[in-house]
């Protein structure tokens, strides 16, 4: 299927997308804007990178202050990210088409100061409810990476005193807090985002 080149909001970059795949959303922007980098933080790992919106925004924000590594499991989405990086002439982001569960086989760094992730949001309850498009279903549902596995990986890869940032749906809050507790990661900041001004849902 043919991909199209779109504005990456107001960041001065362009990003390749495909209507048949799961396209990036405002969630990626919200997460990237939530990230802060202290002077002593040098390395960042982005998990479930998709077509590279979060790494590209972080590169725009912080430039060469941090080394960015990104991982995306789906080849079709990874290829869009590769094209986006080439188009914007960004060659400093290390980008892998790999399963993050196998990180020991391809990541040279053992630990990262910052980890970011916009993960699949939905549990897999019934296969009938999963999209027939496997690329979309893997992006949306915990088929390849569930919440528990994500936190275990983050715990293994985060530096002492490092920071883990993620964006997720409010209805999974209790699952998220439980995952924090089980992996001895303490949440410091939580920001709730509403779709409309004065909205309570």
């Amino acid at each position: 299927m043919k991909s199209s080149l779109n504005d990456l909001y107001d960041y001065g970059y362009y990003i390749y997308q495909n209507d048949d795949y799961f396209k990036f959303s405002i969630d990626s922007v919200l997460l990237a804007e939530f990230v802060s980098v202290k002077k002593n933080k040098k390395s960042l790992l982005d998990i479930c990178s998709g077509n590279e919106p979060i790494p590209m925004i972080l590169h725009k924000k912080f430039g060469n202050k941090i080394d960015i590594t990104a991982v995306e499991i789906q080849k079709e989405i990874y290829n869009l990210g590769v094209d986006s990086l080439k188009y914007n002439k960004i060659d400093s982001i290390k980008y892998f088409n790999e399963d993050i569960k196998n990180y020991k086989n391809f990541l040279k760094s053992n630990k990262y100061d910052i980890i970011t992730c916009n993960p699949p949001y939905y549990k897999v309850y019934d296969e009938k409810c999963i999209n027939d498009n496997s690329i979309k279903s893997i992006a949306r549902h915990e088929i390849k990476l569930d919440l528990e596995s994500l936190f275990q990986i983050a715990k293994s890869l985060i530096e002492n005193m490092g920071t883990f940032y993620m964006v997720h749906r409010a209805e999974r809050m209790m699952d998220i807090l439980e995952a924090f507790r089980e992996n001895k990661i303490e949440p410091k900041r939580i920001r709730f985002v509403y779709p409309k001004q004065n909205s309570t849902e």
Side-chain angles (χ1 to χ4, degrees):
M1 296 294 176
K2 190 175 181 180
S3 59
S4 60
L5 191 63
N6 301 272
D7 286 325
L8 184 56
Y9 288 94
D10 296 323
Y11 293 98
Y13 288 149
Y14 291 87
I15 190 165
Y16 280 97
Q17 306 225 78
N18 189 308
D19 289 337
D20 292 325
Y21 303 155
F22 189 74
K23 298 166 72 172
F24 85 92
S25 67
I26 190 66
D27 292 355
S28 298
V29 178
L30 293 171
L31 177 58
E33 287 296 337
F34 193 52
V35 174
S36 61
V37 176
K38 297 179 181 179
K39 290 184 179 180
N40 63 333
K41 304 301 181 183
K42 300 296 183 183
S43 59
L44 183 146
L45 171 66
D46 184 59
I47 301 171
C48 302
S49 291
N51 52 342
E52 288 294 272
I54 293 172
M56 288 171 62
I57 295 172
L58 293 173
H59 178 269
K60 188 70 174 183
K61 287 180 64 180
F62 303 113
N64 295 324
K65 292 180 181 178
I66 54 172
D67 296 321
I68 300 175
T69 299
V71 182
E72 169 55 41
I73 191 172
Q74 298 199 78
K75 182 68 172 179
E76 296 85 353
I77 308 299
Y78 169 83
N79 288 337
L80 292 174
V82 169
D83 291 341
S84 298
L85 294 176
K86 287 181 179 178
Y87 184 88
N88 294 284
K89 298 180 180 180
I90 301 172
D91 57 11
S92 59
I93 295 175
K94 295 180 282 292
Y95 188 29
F96 295 94
N97 176 212
E98 298 281 357
D99 185 341
I100 190 60
K101 291 179 181 178
N102 301 324
Y103 65 87
K104 292 180 180 179
N105 297 331
F106 64 91
L107 290 181
K108 293 182 179 180
S109 176
N110 295 321
K111 299 285 185 178
Y112 294 85
D113 296 313
I114 301 168
I115 295 178
T116 57
C117 186
N118 181 6
Y121 290 157
Y122 303 104
K123 287 186 176 182
V124 180
Y125 290 110
D126 186 345
E127 291 186 2
K128 294 179 182 178
C129 299
I130 297 176
N131 198 298
D132 290 336
N133 183 320
S134 62
I135 294 175
K136 287 185 177 180
S137 62
I138 290 172
R140 291 172 173 164
H141 296 269
E142 295 180 334
I143 296 171
K144 298 292 186 178
L145 182 68
D146 58 30
L147 199 61
E148 292 76 15
S149 298
L150 170 60
F151 271 82
Q152 290 169 6
I153 292 166
K155 180 183 178 181
S156 298
L157 290 173
I158 198 77
E159 282 279 12
N160 185 34
M161 301 301 290
T163 310
F164 175 40
Y165 293 90
M166 67 179 298
V167 59
H168 218 292
R169 296 181 66 87
E171 59 260 35
R172 296 293 303 276
M173 176 61 73
M174 295 309 299
D175 294 333
I176 294 167
L177 292 177
E178 183 64 26
F180 271 112
R181 183 181 297 112
E182 289 181 354
N183 289 281
K184 295 181 174 58
I185 302 174
E186 183 179 351
K188 297 288 188 181
R189 289 192 296 152
I190 299 176
R191 178 179 295 168
F192 290 96
V193 179
Y194 299 93
K196 296 180 181 179
Q197 188 174 7
N198 299 323
S199 173
T200 58
E201 298 182 358

